[in-house]
Amino acid sequence: MGDSKAAPIKEMPLGLDTTTEEEYASQSKLLQEFTSIPSIDKAWTFKSDDGIGSQAMFSISQPNILANKRRKSILSAHIFKEKNSSVNFHWSPFPVEMTGVSTVVPSPSGSKLFVVRNPENESPSQFEIWSPSQLEKEFHIPQSVHGSVYTDGWFEGISWNSDETLIAYVAEEPSPSKPTFNDLGYKKGGSTDKDCSSWKGQGDWEEDWGETYAGKRQPALFVININSGEVQAVKGIKTSLSVGQVVWAPSTKDVHQYLVFVGWSADTRKLGIKYCYNRPCALYAVRAPLYKSEANELELNSTEDVPVFNLTQQINSAFFPTFSPGGKYLVFLSARSSVDSGAHSATDSLHRIDWSTDVTLWPSAKIVDVIPVVMSAEDGCFPGLYCSSFLSNPWLSDGCTMIISSFWRSCQVILSVNVLSGEVLCISPADSNFSWNVLTLDGDNIVAVSSSPVNVPQIKYGCIVEKTTKAAAWSWLDVSSSIFKCSEKVRSLLSSLQFSIMKIPVKNDSDSLTKGASKPFEAIFVSSNSKKSDTCDPLIVFLHGGPHIVSLSSFSKSLAFLSSIGFNLLIVNYRGSLGFGEEALQSLPGKVGEQDVNDVLTAIDHIIEKGLASPSKITVLGGSHGGFLTTHLIGQAPDRFVAAAVRNPACNLALMVGTTDIPDWCYVEACGSKGKDIFSEAPSADYLTLFHSKSPISHLSKVKTPILFLLGAQDLRVPVSNGLQYARTLRKNGGEVKVIMFPNDVHGNERPQSDFESFLNIGVWFRKYCK
C-alpha cells in the first residue's frame, strides 16, 4: 500500500515543462510591469474660471488584466505659463476612475461634460450631463430609439452645437422587429419583450462592416436636447447610407441649423472597413431637427421633407470634416489615392471648401486642394500626408492654420498646415528620431507626447517663440507628470537600450522601378548600449501588418519588454509602408511575397554585414500581413530563422478570399491595382491558383523553423482557418508547432489577457530557441 500522506503529484499547465514554467514565472512579472504603464487616449484644455492659465483634462487608460478590460480614468491639471517662458502643470492629486463609461465629450466652453454609458445587453443607453460641480441631467435612451453610441474612432461622432443645448451623435439604429413564435407557431402582431410564453426568431440577416463590427447595427444620426432629454433621429438620410463623424455647421441665412457628416454607401455588400480607407465616402449636409421653445419645453416643429446635400461629389473620398474657428472654411481629409488604387491605405490629401451661408450653393462649391498626394519626395522633404485622426479643435487663432500629427517615414511628427497657402511645416524637433503626437491645443500652444522605442512617453508643451519669421520657430518644454510612471526595474532596463533608424538600400536590378520605389526603405534597430563581448544578442525581426501601415519610432510596451529580456529588434518598414510617398507604397501591390520578402532579407543582411546580428540567432515575428511575411520567410529562407511567431497570419490567400471580410484585399495585393476591377466574390480557378502561388502555404514543404501561432477565434479579417490549416499541415509534416487560441478575440488579439499571454509566450518561445 502506498503512503496515504504522500504529497499529490504537481500537475503542470498544458504545454509547459518545469524549465518553461520557471521562464514563465520570471518573464510574466516583468511583462506585468511593462503592461501596467498607462496611456493617454485624449486630452482637452479650457480657459480657467479665474482667467489665470488654463485647465487641462486627460483621458487615461491602462489594462485591467484580471477583469480583461481597459481601466479608464480622468486626470486634471491647471496649466500656468511663467514669465520666464517656462510652463507648470499643477496636477490633481489622483485620477478619477470612469467605471462603465464608454466616452466623455466636454462642451466647447468646458462648462459641461457629456458622459455616455453604453449597455452591455439590450438595456437603455445612459447619458449624463455634468457641470463642474455636480450631475445636472441623466437620460436613459431605450433600444426602441437607438442602440449603443458608436465610440469606435471611425463612425464615432459626438458634437455639441454652439449654444451647448443640443448634441448630435452617431448610434446604432433601433433594433428591427423580428418574427415572434409561441407553442402554436407564428404569432401575428409580435409580442413584448416581457412575454415569457413566446420567443423571438432571427428574421433576415443584415450585412455589417466586418471586423470589429460583428453584430453592430447600422450607424445612424441622432440629436438630443439636453434640457428636455428629447432624442430625434435626423430625417432625410437614405437607409443605404452609414453615417459617422458628425459636426455642426456654422449658422446659415435661414432659420435652420445644419449638420455635416460622413456617409458610406452600401446598397448590398458591405466590405470590411476597419483599417480600410479604400471605401468610398462623401461629406453630406442635412438639416438638424428644428425645436421651438414653449414654456421651456422644446418640441419638433417641422414635418416637411428634409434635403440632404452631397458636398463632395467631385471626389470619391472625404472624411474627418472640421470647420475653421470663424466658420469660413470646411476642411477635410481624403483617401482618394486609396480608393483609386484599391490599396487598403495610402497617401492622404487635404482639401478645403470655402463655406457659404447660402445652402443652395453647397452642392456646387469648389473643392480646393490644400495638400496633394505626394508621389516621391526628395531626401529630408515632406513625404506626404499620413494622418489617422484630427483633433476636435485643431486650429490656431489665426483661423487658417491646423495642427496635425502625421507619419514621416519611420517617425510620427507634428505639422502646421496653412489651409489657404498650402504651406506645410514640421514643427516637432527636426533633429529627433522620436515620434511626436499632438494631444490637444492650449490656445496657440500645443500639448503633445514624445516617445521612442526605448523611452516611455513624455508630455511636451510647444510654444511659438518667433512669429516674425516666415517659418515660425517652436520651443518644446518638458512637462513633469507621473502619468507614465514605471517601475525602477523597467526604467533601468530601458536605460540600457538604444535605438537608431537605418536606411536600407534597395536591392533590385530592375529598370522598371519608379523613382520613389528605388529609394532606400528604413528599419528601426533596438539594441543594448553596452556590448559586453564580440557576440551579438539574439535578434527579433518584427514585421508590421497591413501591408500599408508603418511601424513608428514610438514606445511599444510589448516590444520594449522583448528588448528587455535580451533581444535586439529589427523593425522593418519595407516598401509598401505608409510614410514614404505614394510611389514606394504602390510598388508593393501585385508583388507581395516577393518584394516585401526581399526587403526584409536585405535588411537582415544589412545588419549582419555591420556586425550587429549573428546569422545563427535570428527569430521573426509578425501579425496579419506581418504573419504572411513571417511564414513566407521561413519557407523561402528555411535555414535563416531559429524560431518564428505569428498572430492571425494570412497563410493562404486562396482560402482567405472566400472567408475574409475584405476579399478585395486578396485581389489587389496579389494582382496589383487592376485587382480592384477584377475582384469577384466567386474567384475563378485561375485566380485561386494565383492566390495559392502568392501565399506562404506554397512554400510549406520547405519549412524547418519552430513556429508559434496566436489566433483569435472571432477574427473576421483573417479567419482562424488560415492559421490552423498551415499549423496542422506543418505539424503533420513533422514540424514543431505551438498553437494558442483566444476564443473571444478578433483580429488584433488586443483584449488585455490575450495580449499579455501572447507576448509572454513569444518571449518564452524565442528564448527557448536562442539559448
Side-chain angles (χ1 to χ4, degrees), residues 229-385:
E230 183 179 5
V231 174
Q232 294 287 342
V234 176
K235 296 180 179 179
I237 301 171
K238 291 181 181 179
T239 56
S240 62
L241 212 58
S242 291
V243 307
Q245 302 175 18
V246 62
V247 294
W248 290 89
S251 300
T252 60
K253 289 181 179 178
D254 64 24
V255 296
H256 298 286
Q257 293 188 70
Y258 283 84
L259 299 164
V260 170
F261 65 92
V262 182
W264 293 264
S265 183
D267 292 317
T268 53
R269 174 72 151 106
K270 289 178 181 172
L271 294 167
I273 204 167
K274 183 75 172 179
Y275 315 118
C276 294
Y277 298 88
N278 53 329
R279 310 301 177 215
C281 55
L283 296 189
Y284 297 85
V286 65
R287 186 188 302 165
L290 180 63
Y291 295 86
K292 184 178 180 181
S293 177
E294 291 180 0
N296 295 324
E297 291 292 326
L298 296 175
E299 299 175 355
L300 192 65
N301 195 37
S302 177
T303 57
E304 62 188 89
D305 289 341
V306 178
V308 178
F309 304 96
N310 186 333
L311 306 174
T312 55
Q313 297 179 61
Q314 307 154 41
I315 195 168
N316 58 17
S317 172
F319 53 96
F320 293 156
T322 179
F323 283 95
S324 60
K328 288 185 178 180
Y329 315 115
L330 171 61
V331 176
F332 61 91
L333 205 62
S334 175
R336 60 181 178 180
S337 57
S338 185
V339 175
D340 290 342
S341 67
H344 69 90
S345 187
T347 312
D348 296 322
S349 52
L350 189 71
H351 306 270
R352 183 188 86 236
I353 293 174
D354 294 337
W355 194 249
S356 173
T357 56
D358 184 349
V359 299
T360 62
L361 299 178
W362 289 351
S364 59
K366 181 184 177 184
I367 296 175
V368 179
D369 294 347
V370 177
I371 302 178
V373 172
V374 174
M375 300 306 293
S376 176
E378 296 303 319
D379 291 348
C381 296
F382 175 58
L385 189 61

Side-chain angles (χ1 to χ4, degrees), residues 158-178:
I158 300 176
S159 181
W160 291 78
N161 72 341
S162 58
D163 65 7
E164 301 186 355
T165 59
L166 303 174
I167 301 172
Y169 59 96
V170 178
E172 293 181 56
E173 64 184 8
S175 297
S177 59
K178 293 183 177 181

Side-chain angles (χ1 to χ4, degrees), residues 251-512:
S251 300
T252 60
K253 289 181 179 178
D254 64 24
V255 296
H256 298 286
Q257 293 188 70
Y258 283 84
L259 299 164
V260 170
F261 65 92
V262 182
W264 293 264
S265 183
D267 292 317
T268 53
R269 174 72 151 106
K270 289 178 181 172
L271 294 167
I273 204 167
K274 183 75 172 179
Y275 315 118
C276 294
Y277 298 88
N278 53 329
R279 310 301 177 215
C281 55
L283 296 189
Y284 297 85
V286 65
R287 186 188 302 165
L290 180 63
Y291 295 86
K292 184 178 180 181
S293 177
E294 291 180 0
N296 295 324
E297 291 292 326
L298 296 175
E299 299 175 355
L300 192 65
N301 195 37
S302 177
T303 57
E304 62 188 89
D305 289 341
V306 178
V308 178
F309 304 96
N310 186 333
L311 306 174
T312 55
Q313 297 179 61
Q314 307 154 41
I315 195 168
N316 58 17
S317 172
F319 53 96
F320 293 156
T322 179
F323 283 95
S324 60
K328 288 185 178 180
Y329 315 115
L330 171 61
V331 176
F332 61 91
L333 205 62
S334 175
R336 60 181 178 180
S337 57
S338 185
V339 175
D340 290 342
S341 67
H344 69 90
S345 187
T347 312
D348 296 322
S349 52
L350 189 71
H351 306 270
R352 183 188 86 236
I353 293 174
D354 294 337
W355 194 249
S356 173
T357 56
D358 184 349
V359 299
T360 62
L361 299 178
W362 289 351
S364 59
K366 181 184 177 184
I367 296 175
V368 179
D369 294 347
V370 177
I371 302 178
V373 172
V374 174
M375 300 306 293
S376 176
E378 296 303 319
D379 291 348
C381 296
F382 175 58
L385 189 61
Y386 302 90
C387 183
S388 56
S389 65
F390 284 169
L391 298 177
S392 56
N393 177 22
W395 299 91
L396 297 185
S397 61
D398 63 6
C400 62
T401 301
M402 292 178 69
I403 303 299
I404 298 173
S405 298
S406 181
F407 308 149
W408 187 306
R409 301 181 73 84
S410 296
C411 299
Q412 187 171 37
V413 300
I414 300 175
L415 304 175
S416 74
V417 178
N418 186 305
V419 301
L420 298 181
S421 67
E423 181 185 45
V424 180
L425 298 173
C426 178
I427 59 174
S428 48
D431 58 351
S432 171
N433 276 338
F434 284 43
S435 278
W436 293 67
N437 184 34
V438 59
L439 292 173
T440 187
L441 302 186
D442 181 28
D444 281 346
N445 302 314
I446 300 172
V447 182
V449 287
S450 169
S451 71
S452 84
V454 301
N455 297 90
V456 296
Q458 162 81 50
I459 298 177
K460 302 282 187 175
Y461 194 83
C463 310
I464 299 176
V465 292
E466 290 181 36
K467 291 187 178 180
T468 53
T469 58
K470 182 182 177 183
W474 287 75
S475 169
W476 293 94
L477 307 172
D478 291 341
V479 174
S480 177
S481 162
S482 61
I483 292 178
F484 302 108
K485 186 178 181 180
C486 52
S487 69
E488 197 57 49
K489 184 173 184 181
V490 166
R491 198 168 292 280
S492 174
L493 287 167
L494 291 175
S495 68
S496 69
L497 301 173
Q498 62 185 357
F499 84 102
S500 62
I501 299 177
M502 299 177 169
K503 294 191 183 301
I504 314 292
V506 170
K507 280 188 182 177
N508 195 311
D509 297 325
S510 171
D511 295 329
S512 62

